[in-house]
Amino acid sequence: MEFKLTENGGQFFGELTGRLDTASSQAIMSQLQSELGNYAEKEIVIECGGLEYISSSGIRLLLLIRKTAGKVVLKDMRPEILQILKV
């Protein structure tokens, strides 16, 4: 899994595909840690249509991004992933 944020008009866009598990979450966190300050008070839209699995580490990553950003929008979430987030 790879996650990269791109900017368009003050809004950031990213995409999650595959498995967001402990290993991939740690890799993404390492990648984003030095950049998270750039997203403070910004809107981040994350396309999740290709996300097949999310672990507690993946949820923790999303929460950290949400804590840093002004607003996070998760789009096209699969019903089974959405159910995990609701729990």
Side-chain angles (χ1 to χ4, degrees):
M1 166 165 302
E2 183 178 322
F3 181 72
K4 188 171 188 174
L5 290 173
T6 57
E7 183 179 10
N8 185 1
Q11 191 175 40
F12 290 88
F13 297 91
E15 182 178 6
L16 291 172
T17 58
R19 297 177 57 87
L20 187 54
D21 55 18
T22 301
S24 60
S25 294
Q26 288 175 350
I28 292 169
M29 180 52 63
S30 295
Q31 170 193 339
L32 289 180
Q33 216 155 22
S34 63
E35 303 173 9
L36 279 177
N38 298 335
Y39 311 125
E41 304 304 318
K42 304 288 184 182
E43 181 175 282
I44 299 175
V45 177
I46 302 174
E47 171 64 46
C48 300
L51 186 62
E52 299 168 1
Y53 171 82
I54 189 166
S55 70
S56 59
S57 296
I59 294 170
R60 192 173 321 125
L61 173 67
L62 293 177
L63 289 172
L64 179 64
I65 293 171
R66 171 56 188 103
K67 184 177 178 182
T68 303
K71 180 179 179 182
V72 175
V73 177
L74 302 175
K75 292 179 61 177
D76 299 326
M77 184 82 57
R78 290 180 179 195
E80 58 271 20
I81 303 294
L82 184 58
Q83 183 62 34
I84 292 169
L85 293 178
K86 285 181 178 180
V87 171

